[in-house]
Amino acid sequence: MCASEQHFLHAGQNVIDLSRKFGGPYAALDFAMPFVPGHEYVGEVLDYGPGSQRTVKPGRRVTSIPVMRTDGGHSVIGFSHDCPGGWGELMLLDENVIMEIPDDLE
């Protein structure tokens, strides 16, 4: 658990309110609705969507910048209703920002 998730557990609505006031990245999050936190993660590539370049082979471990490009902007993975984070079973990641984890890194 990152400090950001811990802070959200205790003061999430305040973070959202400040984001709305100052144009921060959490402005679209509704704290009353469920979301899946976890913006620091390592996962395994299971598959790719249509039109993907398939830069990392399925079965390989990856991490990424916790941002998903969306129409007209971006969402912070783990702090969005549309982009679940690493506490979930499955995630959708942008292949342009994934980084393969070397085998010798445990």
Side-chain angles (χ1 to χ4, degrees), residues 84-99:
W87 290 14
E89 185 175 344
L90 299 172
M91 296 176 69
L92 180 63
L93 300 176
D94 185 330
E95 76 174 326
N96 291 314
V97 294
I98 62 172
M99 294 163 270

Side-chain angles (χ1 to χ4, degrees), residues 48-87:
Y48 285 89
S52 298
Q53 296 176 348
R54 299 178 172 266
T55 55
V56 176
K57 293 179 182 180
R60 302 295 298 167
R61 292 181 306 150
V62 296
T63 190
S64 76
I65 298 169
V67 173
M68 177 62 72
R69 293 179 295 163
T70 58
D71 291 338
H74 70 279
S75 294
V76 179
I77 293 173
F79 293 106
S80 161
H81 298 293
D82 298 322
C83 300
W87 290 14

Side-chain angles (χ1 to χ4, degrees), residues 3-80:
S4 297
E5 280 96 9
Q6 187 174 13
H7 192 69
F8 249 78
L9 288 173
H10 298 287
Q13 189 60 57
N14 188 47
V15 173
I16 293 167
D17 292 343
L18 288 170
S19 226
R20 289 177 182 160
K21 182 176 180 177
F22 296 109
Y26 311 113
L29 192 62
D30 180 348
F31 201 56
M33 293 177 54
F35 65 97
V36 180
H39 70 276
E40 294 179 3
Y41 45 80
V42 171
E44 176 186 339
V45 174
L46 298 178
D47 204 354
Y48 285 89
S52 298
Q53 296 176 348
R54 299 178 172 266
T55 55
V56 176
K57 293 179 182 180
R60 302 295 298 167
R61 292 181 306 150
V62 296
T63 190
S64 76
I65 298 169
V67 173
M68 177 62 72
R69 293 179 295 163
T70 58
D71 291 338
H74 70 279
S75 294
V76 179
I77 293 173
F79 293 106
S80 161

